[in-house]
Amino acid sequence: MEANVLPAHLKTDLADGVFAAGCPSRTVLDHITSKWGVLILVALSEGEHRWSELRRRADGISEKMLAQTLKTLERDGLVLRKPQPVIPPHVDYSLTDRGYELTALLVPLVTWAYNNADDILNGRP
């Protein structure tokens, strides 16, 4: 470990709960740390997007997976779905306050992954 990097530790009472098989945080972590969940949340941290914009932004996501991911994140209270009363109809997606709170933590993680991906995938320390 580099000298300027300090190890991170969970508080004992939190660690005792989060590692338990029935901890609800496992479900939440599954939703927000899925490949598509992270990308959709980070895309929405840039501002409101329509369906088609999110589909282009998360290159490679299927329509089915985008719909499923958005429904899950909306149900979790992280994404807000706003149908527009126009013709043709369209829907705008944005983050809730909780979603913005979460993406403030996710953006540094995604940045770290992007900056370190080549070294990690090429087996360089």
Side-chain angles (χ1 to χ4, degrees):
M1 186 176 307
E2 294 181 30
N4 61 346
V5 178
L6 298 174
H9 300 283
L10 289 172
K11 294 180 182 178
T12 304
D13 59 332
L14 183 65
D16 289 345
V18 75
F19 290 111
C23 183
S25 67
R26 287 190 179 194
T27 301
V28 175
L29 285 169
D30 182 49
H31 295 173
I32 62 178
T33 62
S34 69
K35 172 173 63 172
W36 300 120
V38 168
L39 293 177
I40 296 303
L41 288 164
V42 170
L44 289 173
S45 75
E46 300 167 344
E48 191 172 82
H49 283 54
R50 289 187 184 172
W51 169 280
S52 57
E53 293 169 333
L54 287 171
R55 180 107 193 271
R56 281 191 300 274
R57 197 80 174 102
D59 189 26
I61 193 170
S62 68
E63 288 186 15
K64 178 182 176 182
M65 189 53 66
L66 179 56
Q68 181 180 330
T69 301
L70 285 168
K71 283 179 185 175
T72 298
L73 295 173
E74 182 184 4
R75 187 176 55 244
D76 290 346
L78 302 170
V79 169
L80 182 61
R81 180 182 188 275
K82 293 187 278 185
Q84 301 300 322
V86 295
I87 297 178
H90 70 264
V91 177
D92 294 321
Y93 294 91
S94 60
L95 293 176
T96 62
D97 289 344
R98 181 173 285 154
Y100 277 112
E101 182 182 355
L102 173 60
T103 58
L105 302 168
L106 287 177
V107 167
L109 174 63
V110 171
T111 302
W112 182 91
Y114 180 83
N115 289 336
N116 289 278
D118 287 339
D119 287 343
I120 292 168
L121 295 175
N122 290 314
R124 293 188 294 256

